[in-house]
């Protein structure tokens, strides 16, 4: 296993850096590394590390959600208002609808499996989008109408929305059917997840505050360990309560992080967010390389034509959803086009959950993973290059006015 970890931690960043040099997202390099090292090409990874890759990927997903919750500024949602709220769910819903309607015919899968695939593909990639939006805010492009803030706020919530739907659809696919009770459980699991996470986050914040007042200072590194431990318990609670009370463990993790951000002083949450950001540096290497290693490249190539057609069709639906969200706003046609481009790239969430159906033994698992990897390889470079090449022409630079 140590040899395999050495290959992953050395070859992954090296390929990522190479992709960065030629203008491609670093994620692509890590995926390619996993495909090359995996059992279907060079077969250099020990089976022992592949056997626990599902658990490692879930831990990486929890780190993503904690960082998202600690970084999510609810004030941004209030400032940009209705469009940000709609951008957090409407484009993803349109894309899931496209898969639900067309994937059974194009790819020969059941409707509930098509919903699972749509939920995997429905999220935009914060890893590709957010750094570029920060750069736009620093340079003044689109800031007069808060376009970068709109995209950042929508993208942060978009991932959470999609992951909650994914967990629901996977449960339906495991049961083999979907009835009214399953759909009724969705809002219940969302509400209970938010309430449970908020209550736990409030309690964690009180613990940190009480320890600080008593002079028993808790180091930031220890806070990270405590928050991670509580997050693992929240995820375990979902499994324990399955069949009794529907509750979203993933949403509870995000809600807990948001509660900690609101209750704690800004300096504390900023340091926690930075700590989880550093933790994510190692987690993302393991995540993307292991996802690449799980890809059967022969199966992916065989499903290529139908998968690419489905991805393109879903992106058209997604673009229509973005356009709907921006109706009755002050944005010009060029600015709306930029928002559509910014909502194209996929990477982080697809890598985190794309292999879950395969690990759970769902019949559609290999196909879902193959489509997820193809979507990353197609949309991540497309969206990244599209934003980099178009923002000067589509957005107004407020500092030049």
């Amino acid at each position: 296993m140590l040899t395999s970890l050495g290959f992953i931690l050395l070859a992954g960043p090296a390929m990522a850096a190479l992709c960065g040099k030629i203008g491609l997202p670093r994620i692509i390099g890590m995926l390619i590394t996993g495909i090359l090292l995996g059992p279907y090409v060079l077969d250099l990874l020990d089976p022992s590390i592949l056997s626990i890759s599902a658990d490692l990927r879930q831990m990486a997903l929890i780190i993503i959600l904690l960082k998202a919750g600690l970084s999510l500024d609810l004030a941004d949602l209030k400032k940009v208002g209705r469009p940000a709220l709609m951008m957090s769910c409407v484009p993803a819903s349109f894309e899931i609808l496209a898969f639900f309607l067309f994937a059974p015919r194009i790819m020969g899968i059941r409707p509930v499996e098509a919903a699972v695939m749509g939920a995997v593909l429905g999220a935009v990639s914060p890893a590709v989008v957010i750094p570029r939006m920060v750069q736009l805010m620093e340079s003044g492009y689109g800031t007069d109408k808060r376009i970068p803030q709109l995209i950042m706020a929508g993208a942060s919530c978009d991932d959470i929305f999609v992951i909650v739907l994914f967990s629901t659809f996977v449960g339906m696919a495991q049961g083999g059917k979907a009835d009214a009770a399953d759909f009724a459980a969705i809002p219940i699991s969302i509400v209970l997840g938010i309430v449970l996470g908020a209550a736990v986050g409030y309690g964690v914040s009180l613990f940190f505050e009480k320890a600080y007042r008593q002079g028993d200072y808790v180091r930031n590194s220890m806070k990270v360990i405590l928050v991670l431990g509580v997050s693992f318990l929240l995820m375990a609670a979902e499994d324990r309560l399955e069949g009794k009370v529907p509750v979203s463990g993933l949403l509870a993790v995000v809600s807990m992080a948001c509660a900690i951000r609101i209750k704690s002083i800004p300096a504390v949450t900023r340091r926690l967010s930075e700590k989880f950001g550093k933790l994510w540096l190692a987690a993302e290497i393991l995540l993307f390389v292991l996802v690449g290693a799980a890809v059967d490249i022969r199966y992916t190539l065989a499903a290529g034509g139908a998968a690419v057609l489905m991805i393109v069709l879903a992106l058209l639906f997604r673009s229509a959803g973005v356009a709907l969200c921006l109706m009755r706003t002050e944005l010009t046609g060029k600015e709306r086009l930029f928002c559509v481009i910014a909502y194209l790239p996929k990477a982080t969430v697809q890598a985190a959950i794309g292999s879950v159906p395969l690990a759970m033994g769902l019949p559609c698992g290999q196909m879902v993973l193959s489509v997820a990897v193809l979507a990353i390889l197609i949309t991540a470079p497309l969206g990244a290059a599209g934003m980099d090449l178009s923002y000067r022409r589509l957005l107004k630079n407020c500092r030049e006015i």
Side-chain angles (χ1 to χ4, degrees):
M1 180 182 287
L2 291 179
T3 303
S4 298
L5 284 173
F7 283 139
I8 290 171
L9 295 177
L10 292 176
M15 282 291 288
L18 179 61
C19 285
K21 288 286 186 181
I22 61 177
L24 292 175
R26 292 168 51 86
I27 295 165
I28 303 297
M30 298 179 203
L31 278 175
I32 293 174
T33 300
I35 293 173
L36 294 176
L37 294 178
Y40 304 105
V41 183
L42 299 178
D43 194 18
L44 295 178
L45 298 182
D46 193 282
S48 60
I49 195 169
L50 295 176
S51 66
I52 62 170
S53 64
D55 296 319
L56 293 174
R57 290 193 298 267
Q58 187 175 52
M59 291 171 64
L61 177 59
I62 290 173
I63 293 172
I64 293 172
L65 293 176
L66 286 171
K67 180 167 173 54
L70 290 168
S71 304
L72 183 60
D73 190 351
L74 299 179
D76 279 343
L77 287 175
K78 295 179 180 178
K79 290 176 183 176
V80 293
R82 176 190 60 83
L85 291 174
M86 293 185 68
M87 291 278 277
S88 68
C89 58
V90 173
S93 298
F94 271 52
E95 189 162 3
I96 293 172
L97 178 63
F99 275 94
F100 184 78
L101 294 176
F102 298 106
R105 301 176 185 177
I106 295 175
M107 310 197 73
I109 58 179
R110 295 181 298 143
V112 68
E113 293 174 333
V116 171
M117 184 180 291
V120 170
L121 273 292
V124 70
S125 172
V128 178
V129 173
I130 290 180
R132 285 169 170 81
M133 294 305 107
V134 172
Q135 181 183 357
L136 291 182
M137 288 189 291
E138 292 174 350
S139 59
Y141 281 93
T143 54
D144 59 329
K145 298 179 182 178
R146 296 187 177 274
I147 294 174
Q149 292 90 330
L150 166 67
I151 295 172
M152 282 182 64
S156 298
C157 295
D158 169 272
D159 292 352
I160 299 166
F161 172 77
V162 166
I163 289 171
V164 171
L165 287 183
F166 170 76
S167 61
T168 303
F169 292 147
V170 165
M172 294 179 183
Q174 283 183 304
K177 61 183 180 65
D179 53 32
D182 293 321
F183 288 100
I186 294 177
I188 297 175
S189 66
I190 291 174
V191 172
L192 290 181
I194 293 174
V195 172
L196 175 62
V200 172
Y202 184 77
V204 171
S205 298
L206 287 180
F207 171 75
F208 291 157
E209 184 178 342
K210 184 177 180 181
Y212 180 79
R213 288 179 178 176
Q214 292 179 349
D216 185 14
Y217 182 69
V218 180
R219 294 175 59 87
N220 290 320
S221 299
M222 184 56 66
K223 290 178 181 177
V224 168
I225 294 173
L226 291 173
V227 171
L228 269 178
V230 173
S231 300
F232 294 158
L233 291 178
L234 288 174
M235 291 295 296
E238 178 181 356
D239 295 332
R240 292 293 182 91
L241 295 174
E242 186 176 359
K244 302 174 183 177
V245 180
V247 58
S248 171
L250 294 173
L251 192 55
V253 170
V254 178
S255 179
M256 177 189 69
C258 289
I260 293 174
R261 176 187 173 91
I262 294 171
K263 176 64 178 173
S264 304
I265 60 175
V268 171
T269 55
R270 184 174 63 252
R271 286 194 292 269
L272 280 176
S273 181
E274 291 172 354
K275 290 284 186 180
F276 278 107
K278 293 176 181 177
L279 196 58
W280 171 241
L281 291 176
E284 72 169 340
I285 297 172
L286 287 172
L287 172 63
F288 291 118
V289 173
L290 289 175
V291 165
V295 174
D296 187 338
I297 192 66
R298 298 164 300 177
Y299 188 94
T300 303
L301 292 175
V308 171
L309 175 61
M310 192 63 243
I311 290 168
V312 172
L313 187 60
L315 288 179
L316 292 176
F317 269 66
R318 183 178 190 84
S319 299
V322 174
L324 177 64
C325 295
L326 300 177
M327 290 179 63
R328 298 182 181 179
T329 63
E330 297 180 354
L331 273 60
T332 65
K334 290 183 177 181
E335 291 167 339
R336 297 183 190 199
L337 176 59
F338 179 81
C339 292
V340 169
I341 295 172
Y343 252 54
L344 293 179
K346 305 172 186 303
T348 318
V349 174
Q350 286 71 33
I353 65 178
S355 57
V356 171
L358 178 62
M360 298 176 72
L362 294 182
C364 64
Q366 187 62 252
M367 184 177 294
V368 170
L369 177 59
S370 297
V371 175
V373 171
L374 278 176
I376 295 172
L377 295 175
I378 293 170
T379 64
L382 178 65
M387 285 184 282
D388 293 342
L389 296 175
S390 67
Y391 75 92
R392 295 181 186 275
R393 283 178 282 183
L394 299 180
L395 301 180
K396 185 186 299 182
N397 190 336
C398 301
R399 296 182 181 177
E400 295 179 356
I401 300 176

